[in-house]
Amino acid sequence: MELRICHLYPDVLNLYGDRGNILCLRRRLEWRGIGVSVDTRPIGSPAALGGFDLIFIGGGQDFEQEALLDDLHRGRDAEIRAAVDDGAAVLAICGGYQMLGNYYETHDGRRCDFVGAIDFYTVGGEKRMIGNYLFQCGTVSGGSVVVGFENHSGRTYLGAGVNPLGTVLAGFGNNGEDGTEGVRWKNVFGSYSHGPLLPKNPSLCDMILETALARKYGAVLLEPLPDMAEKNAHSEIANRLGAENKLAFERDS
Ligand code: GLN
C-alpha cells in the first residue's frame, strides 16, 4: 500500500507548525511499513492536483489568504472541487479550511470568493477567538476527543446538510455560537485547530489515514501504535481544559 500526499500552498498557508501534520501523517504510515510520498503545490506551480490520495492545506492570516486568490482562481479552485467530489481525503486547517467554503468576508468588509467545494461561509468579527480548545469528533469521524489551539477572527457557518467535524467541549470552534467545530464532508476533514493538530491527536490522524487508504484499497484497519507520549500529552491538556471549563461553568452559573 502507498499514499500520495500533496501539501497545497505550503509557501503561504503554514502557521504555528501546521507542517507538523505532514510529518505526522508520513511517520505513522512509515512506522507501519506503508509507502508514502509528499509533493508540494505552491503558488505558481504548473503541476496538476489530480492523482493525490490526501491533500493537506494549512492555515494563514487574511493577508496570505488574499495573496493566493489570483492563483486559486486560475484553475486550482476547479481542481480542488474535483478532488473533493472524487473522494480524495483532505485535511484543511483554519485559513485553509475557510478556503474550501464559498467565501470569507473580512472584519473590515473585504470579500474573498473561495473554492465553494463545500457549502459554508465565513465572516470576520472584531474579536479574535484564541486559545487552547477541546472538541469531540462526530461518530463518522471516529468520535475521539481532540485537543487543539485556535486563533481566528472568522466565524464559519455551515450550510444545511453539512455536518461539522465535531462538537465543542471547551473554546469557540466554528463561530463561538452554535457549538460546532470544523467540517466533515465526503472525505474532507476541516478544522480550526493549529498547533499542529495531528501529533497531539493520533486517533484522528489514523482516522484520516484509514479514510484515504479505504478509498484506494477498500476498508483498512491500521495496526495500533504504542503512542505513550502522545496519549500522555493528550490527556494532560484534555484534563487541564476540562478542569478549566468546569471552573468557568461554576463561576458563570
Ligand atoms: N484569516 C483567518 C481568520 O483570522 C484565518 C486565520 C488562521 O488561519 N489562523 O479567521
Side-chain angles (χ1 to χ4, degrees), residues 70-184:
D70 282 350
D71 189 82
L72 190 67
H73 295 310
R74 273 196 293 267
R76 243 348 150 213
D77 47 0
E79 286 188 306
I80 296 169
R81 283 193 296 273
V84 168
D85 288 345
D86 195 34
V90 178
L91 172 62
I93 306 295
C94 199
Y97 158 40
Q98 294 172 352
M99 198 181 83
L100 296 177
N102 297 323
Y103 66 87
Y104 172 41
E105 192 175 300
T106 63
H107 70 95
D108 50 0
R110 295 191 317 282
R111 180 172 161 129
C112 302
D113 285 318
F114 277 153
V115 171
I118 309 173
D119 181 24
F120 65 81
Y121 66 94
T122 303
V123 182
E126 284 290 309
K127 187 173 151 252
R128 294 195 73 79
M129 292 174 272
I130 307 178
N132 293 316
Y133 75 130
L134 200 62
F135 63 92
Q136 178 154 28
C137 290
T139 334
V140 286
S141 302
S144 63
V145 171
V146 170
V147 295
F149 169 74
E150 59 184 330
N151 181 359
H152 52 111
S153 83
R155 285 149 173 73
T156 295
Y157 299 93
L158 303 177
V162 177
N163 290 316
L165 176 62
T167 306
V168 176
L169 301 174
F172 299 97
N174 276 340
N175 49 51
E177 296 159 25
D178 62 15
T180 65
E181 153 60 20
V183 74
R184 180 66 207 275

Side-chain angles (χ1 to χ4, degrees), residues 7-22 56-65 92-98 104 128-129 149-153 191-200:
H7 190 171
L8 180 60
Y9 293 136
D11 46 344
V12 276
L13 297 181
N14 182 21
L15 275 179
Y16 309 118
D18 281 337
R19 200 176 70 90
N21 292 311
I22 294 274
F56 173 73
I57 319 170
Q61 300 299 336
D62 296 6
F63 173 78
E64 284 95 15
Q65 289 176 296
I93 306 295
C94 199
Y97 158 40
Q98 294 172 352
Y104 172 41
R128 294 195 73 79
M129 292 174 272
F149 169 74
E150 59 184 330
N151 181 359
H152 52 111
S153 83
S191 174
Y192 268 109
S193 181
H194 289 284
L197 167 67
L198 298 182
K200 291 182 291 189

